[in-house]
Amino acid sequence: MTEPIWPQNSDISLLIRTDYSHPQEWTRMKAAIAEPQTDDGFLPNVELLDDRAFEGFPLSRLLDTAPETPWHPVAFLVDTLSLTHPELPILAINLNNDDEEEDEPGEGSPFGATFRVVPSELWSVQNNLSIANMNWEEFAETVDQDGIFRGFP
């Protein structure tokens, strides 16, 4: 299997499909991602990797292949849970080691931290993290008890 091709533009995040047993749900998810959720028409800047070579692609492999440059703060996996949960929550993965930038060791979010995000809020996570308008913790601290980010209250 070839490794993911990381976009040269760090404003674009990878969204990798790893489950191919739920095609109808995948179609619903793609439509939800492509639907603007704000009056300003914001959409996530994602490059869809929809290739069976990535079927079952584990999080650990994604982390091993993440480039140091250009800088990519976040990537997304569409796994079996994403496609079998009624809200289609996508796995967001932190590719930035915020802990290295903190004054106190142990603060911040480690490389590889995850939470799930509903497709209608993917734009918010991707857009804000890619331009460093917000940090990982601002989203991670707002997830519901089930670990899913559904937007800010």
Side-chain angles (χ1 to χ4, degrees):
M1 169 177 50
T2 59
E3 299 300 342
I5 300 170
W6 292 85
Q8 293 299 308
N9 182 344
S10 63
D11 290 342
I12 300 172
S13 301
L14 285 180
L15 187 145
I16 304 171
R17 180 183 180 189
T18 67
D19 178 288
Y20 284 82
S21 58
H22 302 88
Q24 291 176 328
E25 290 79 2
W26 172 242
T27 299
R28 281 185 33 229
M29 179 180 286
K30 287 192 307 182
I33 291 169
E35 180 69 28
Q37 300 296 319
T38 68
D39 291 339
D40 294 325
F42 288 124
L43 293 170
N45 270 332
V46 292
E47 181 175 315
L48 298 177
L49 288 182
D50 186 3
D51 183 331
R52 281 196 178 267
F54 297 102
E55 187 167 15
F57 193 76
L59 173 61
S60 61
R61 185 83 179 264
L62 175 77
L63 296 175
D64 288 343
T65 66
E68 292 183 26
T69 57
W71 181 67
H72 290 275
V74 64
F76 304 95
L77 287 181
V78 177
D79 57 8
T80 301
L81 181 58
S82 300
L83 297 174
T84 57
H85 188 283
E87 293 179 278
L88 305 173
I90 300 162
L91 186 65
I93 303 107
N94 182 21
L95 298 181
N96 183 30
N97 193 347
D98 293 337
D99 191 45
E100 292 176 359
E101 299 170 7
E102 296 295 327
D103 293 333
E104 295 292 324
E107 290 184 6
S109 295
F111 177 80
T114 64
F115 63 81
R116 292 194 176 266
V117 56
V118 294
S120 62
E121 290 295 326
L122 186 65
W123 72 272
S124 178
V125 173
Q126 192 282 324
N127 289 190
N128 283 296
L129 292 178
S130 70
I131 63 170
N133 186 47
M134 297 176 75
N135 65 34
W136 182 266
E137 284 301 311
E138 291 176 273
F139 290 99
E141 291 173 352
T142 312
V143 300
D144 291 334
Q145 287 182 333
D146 57 2
I148 299 174
F149 177 76
R150 294 179 174 89
F152 291 103

